[in-house]
Amino acid sequence: MTVFHCVIGAGYARPYSRTVPAALRRCASPFILLSREGEQVNPEALDEAVATLEGNPAAMAALGGLGDGLVGDAHGLFHLFTRHLVLPAMLVRREACHRALLPMPVGLPDQWRSLAGLARLGPIALACAPLCRPMAPWQRLGRLEEIEDLDDFLADQQSFAALASRLETGPSMDHWRQALDQQRAAGLVLAAEACRAAGTLALAEDMLARAKVWAPATLPPQDNEDHCRMALDLVARLAPQLGEQIRQVMIEDSLAALVPAMGVPMRLAPSGEMAAHPPNSSTVLVFDRAATAQERRRRTGGVWAGFQFALEDLTW
Amino acid sequence: MVTPLLSIIIPTCNRAHLLAPTLTALTQVDLLLEVCVSDNASEDATQQVLASFASAFAALRVIRQPHRLTLIANHQAAMRLACTPYMLVIGDDDAICPQALLHVIGLLESDPSLSAVYGSFDIRDLETGAHRAFRRPTDQQLRCTQADRHRLFANAFMMECVVARTAIVQRYFAHSGRRHPLGWLFLDALIRHGDILLSPEVLVVKADFADRQGYRNYERWFQDLVHLDAEAFFARDDEPMAGRDPAADKVAQFLSISAHSAVSHGHTLWAAHFLERLNVLQSPHWPTDLAGANLTEACLTARMAQLAADWDATRLVVEAVDPLPALAARVPGVTIATLDQMTPEDVVVVARASSLDALAGRIAPGRCAALDDLAADLHWGSGA
């Protein structure tokens, strides 16, 4: 049996929502495997999923690694949604793909909202083994710290709830909204972890602050040293944005243990030396205490105030 | 020597043709200004334009970014340049109202406990100068403290026009990465370090062009930014949270405004997307005037057009069942044919999914669609 394998690139840039459906419309195979770039296909599981769909003409798609049996009503979809943050690779009947997925103009065919569209046509088989070697959720989602990916994730969840809750009698809309809150908070915490792993700690802070609004219980403990590293990481990122003329970043030597790698030359210096540094626009100064930075700004008449930071200002 | 009190902050990117008249207008106002521009790695004549204004202001501070930054980062880079006591961020196609700004600066000078003054703005058509809209945060002057956070948040969507103390902005906001320079987190930074004054005075005249709002609203980064700004403002509340509604409400407001904008400019599929998301929030901002039969029909026409475009088809074959012929007639760039004229090269739309079986073997499955499938997710929920 020929299976058309649609590999969706990592990231959710707008062209995918046009190019993927256009490619799928031209597919002539009876089954389509939807997976993400970097996912390795498990041939045995794929054969099993094909056999499942061939043996069960009513089933519209097969998903591996989520359990066993069939799911098709609003309760079943709700159950899946509250236990999994992202969907794994799925095998879809071509006709179901054409009827349920391609008319949807926003989002991608392997997302939650698409599953709700498929379930409208018939049940979904949960094959036993994953069809592809599973990736970490944040890898499957793309890089959540890239803003458009995160919004896509949140939008997909909202759309799924809107579509799935209409299937037939199921959980109340209040239950759907509570589940959405939990899932979006879990997604934001996941995004924060991805940001931490990538060293973008400021973004991690933003994500955690947002998760707090939706489900405070999901928040991981905070780390003060992380805060400081985050602040200096910010300076490292800001320095190139301050202009082509930046020649060095001077950091108060009390912060030595926290200094990240800088994209521009960096020098540790005593506070006194930094405070006496002649005002110019080629050196970024990072002080330990806000008072020192403020005093310097006052003394230098505010010249290039934006180039003089205090750790306290960056970690408020 | 008289030094300026106000910095006009202008982030720009590849819009030299708009920046030049904006700067020219600023040279003509009777107000001593510092102008701070962050050029986001423009490839057009932006640098030449800026060079030509080098001595036109009390100070012109310019940074040219070596690499393209996000819109937010570029705003913040421009904010960091300011060296005067007060700053006002404007677009590179906006104009300022000097007399009102003089008055606002006077208020800030005379009252150190104020961190900022939020004013009104006018929106005019960039091409014709025609008045489009007017936004004001208040009908009369109103002082707000930290305790008014909830009230402000509940009563306004986004407060965009503000003269703020530079020291507060540079210390507490201008390094913050992803924060919208004119959003709720900006207000948060200001109101934490002083009172803010709401004024009905018009401080800025913003330029408008076709679908200005839509252009931002379809961008995923902007959609996420609206979530972030509202959620993070709410998360920073010192008082215990009463519930999730305020942030969700702000998101719903954005989705509702976006749906309106998308409909008014013919981007119906986007409108459907916004409404679909709005559906689950069950918000009082549901746009009851939008989600009806007209929008459904417009979305179906857009989906038929998309199907034809995917196959580069110039002919659309439709079943002679209402409302298909009428809908197909609205698809631009295609001729309409009936099922008995169908060839394997055509793109076909039938009324019911059950009719697709009859086409099996006569046309590739991807080339045909049923109207009820195209309409399956067009459900307007609480607004229907």
Side-chain angles (χ1 to χ4, degrees), chain A residues 16-59:
Chain A
Y16 285 115
S17 64
R18 296 292 303 145
T19 57
V20 171
L24 290 177
R25 282 206 170 90
R26 285 163 170 74
C27 161
S29 307
F31 298 113
I32 297 169
L33 173 65
L34 298 168
S35 75
R36 285 298 163 114
E37 190 177 29
E39 288 184 327
Q40 204 171 2
V41 179
N42 177 350
E44 291 80 22
L46 188 59
D47 285 346
E48 192 185 339
V50 169
T52 302
L53 291 186
E54 283 184 323
N56 189 344

Side-chain angles (χ1 to χ4, degrees), chain A residues 210-299:
Chain A
R210 299 174 63 183
K212 182 179 153 196
V213 178
W214 302 99
T218 57
L219 291 184
Q222 293 288 300
D223 183 332
N224 276 342
E225 193 165 294
D226 257 2
H227 265 298
C228 298
R229 284 190 201 284
M230 175 191 84
L232 290 177
D233 173 69
L234 258 180
V235 175
R237 282 164 197 278
L238 286 175
Q241 295 173 21
L242 292 171
E244 289 161 320
Q245 71 273 43
I246 295 297
R247 286 201 284 275
Q248 70 169 344
V249 177
M250 286 178 78
I251 297 181
E252 199 168 338
D253 53 13
S254 58
L255 302 172
L258 303 173
V259 171
M262 290 278 176
V264 291
M266 182 272 300
R267 189 159 78 83
L268 290 167
S271 179
E273 183 187 329
M274 285 171 56
H277 193 272
N280 62 53
S281 59
S282 66
T283 303
V284 178
L285 303 175
V286 186
F287 294 91
D288 188 351
R289 297 278 162 216
T292 325
Q294 280 173 321
E295 168 57 20
R296 179 185 152 87
R297 281 178 204 155
R298 191 193 60 75
R299 215 167 33 74

Side-chain angles (χ1 to χ4, degrees), chain A residues 25 99 152 203 242 313, chain B residues 63 171 178 220 310 373:
Chain A
R25 282 206 170 90
R99 288 188 55 196
D152 213 48
L203 291 187
L242 292 171
D313 295 347
Chain B
I63 273 188
R171 184 169 173 196
R178 280 178 68 191
R220 292 297 168 86
D310 279 348
D373 286 340

Side-chain angles (χ1 to χ4, degrees), chain B residues 169-236:
Chain B
V169 175
Q170 288 188 337
R171 184 169 173 196
Y172 297 106
F173 188 82
H175 324 302
S176 52
R178 280 178 68 191
R179 286 165 198 163
H180 194 307
L182 298 170
W184 288 106
L185 285 176
F186 191 43
L187 186 143
D188 179 74
L190 295 169
I191 206 166
R192 274 172 185 275
H193 300 96
D195 295 350
I196 62 170
L197 202 64
L198 307 187
S199 164
E201 278 188 285
V202 176
L203 306 182
V204 172
V205 179
K206 289 182 183 280
D208 193 15
F209 49 87
D211 201 14
R212 175 192 173 109
Q213 196 169 49
Y215 133 84
R216 291 190 314 185
N217 296 2
Y218 309 141
E219 299 288 335
R220 292 297 168 86
W221 67 264
F222 187 76
Q223 294 172 13
D224 186 63
L225 191 65
V226 172
H227 285 203
L228 178 150
D229 193 45
E231 288 171 4
F233 178 82
F234 196 51
R236 284 171 172 274

Side-chain angles (χ1 to χ4, degrees), chain B residues 287-311:
Chain B
T288 47
D289 54 326
L290 287 188
N294 288 346
L295 184 60
T296 303
E297 288 181 3
C299 287
L300 288 171
T301 304
R303 287 182 185 189
M304 288 161 69
Q306 184 177 295
L307 182 67
D310 279 348
W311 290 101

